Amino acid sequence: MHHSDLLGKKARRAVFLAIAGVLLFAAPALAGLLQNKDSVPYDYQVFWDDMEAPLKGIIEPGQEVELRESPCTIALPKRNDSMYMRPGETVFIRKGILRRPEDKK
């Protein structure tokens, strides 16, 4: 292997790592996760504190929904349940109720 080939590989690797680092930090951070731990689907709504249009959908049994980085209120409209969620938190549905992992009920 020639000395210039070695420098070329090192330079290409440095460029690759730099691009990967930019992409990693440019990726949007998640507000957290909504997880359905039940065996039935639920309608859910997410109301963002920054007043963006609400996210509405159905979360299937065992499904996780990743949310964007913004404080929000998660609601299960047909269950009359809602919970405030800060960035980085996980909220799950168990027995039709929104809960945080530390809730023991």
Side-chain angles (χ1 to χ4, degrees):
M1 180 180 284
H2 192 270
H3 181 65
S4 63
D5 291 339
L6 184 60
L7 287 177
K9 284 184 179 180
K10 285 183 179 180
R12 283 193 298 270
R13 182 180 172 148
V15 168
F16 172 78
L17 292 175
I19 290 171
V22 168
L23 293 175
L24 178 67
F25 289 112
L30 299 178
L33 291 174
L34 175 61
Q35 301 175 337
N36 184 355
K37 304 252 185 192
D38 282 350
S39 60
V40 296
Y42 293 100
D43 291 335
Y44 71 93
Q45 297 176 341
V46 180
F47 300 95
W48 309 105
D49 284 6
D50 62 10
M51 305 306 283
E52 284 221 12
L55 173 65
K56 297 179 182 183
I58 297 173
I59 186 167
E60 297 294 331
Q63 183 181 4
E64 290 184 349
V65 177
E66 296 178 352
L67 302 172
R68 67 181 177 88
E69 182 182 17
S70 182
C72 60
T73 299
I74 299 172
L76 302 177
K78 292 181 180 177
R79 304 291 297 189
N80 290 326
D81 192 18
S82 64
M83 179 177 282
Y84 190 76
M85 183 176 190
R86 291 171 193 82
E89 286 187 323
T90 296
V91 171
F92 61 87
I93 305 166
R94 181 165 289 146
K95 297 181 181 175
I97 299 171
L98 291 166
R99 301 176 189 267
R100 288 190 172 79
E102 63 270 10
D103 294 343
K104 302 292 185 200
K105 298 177 185 176

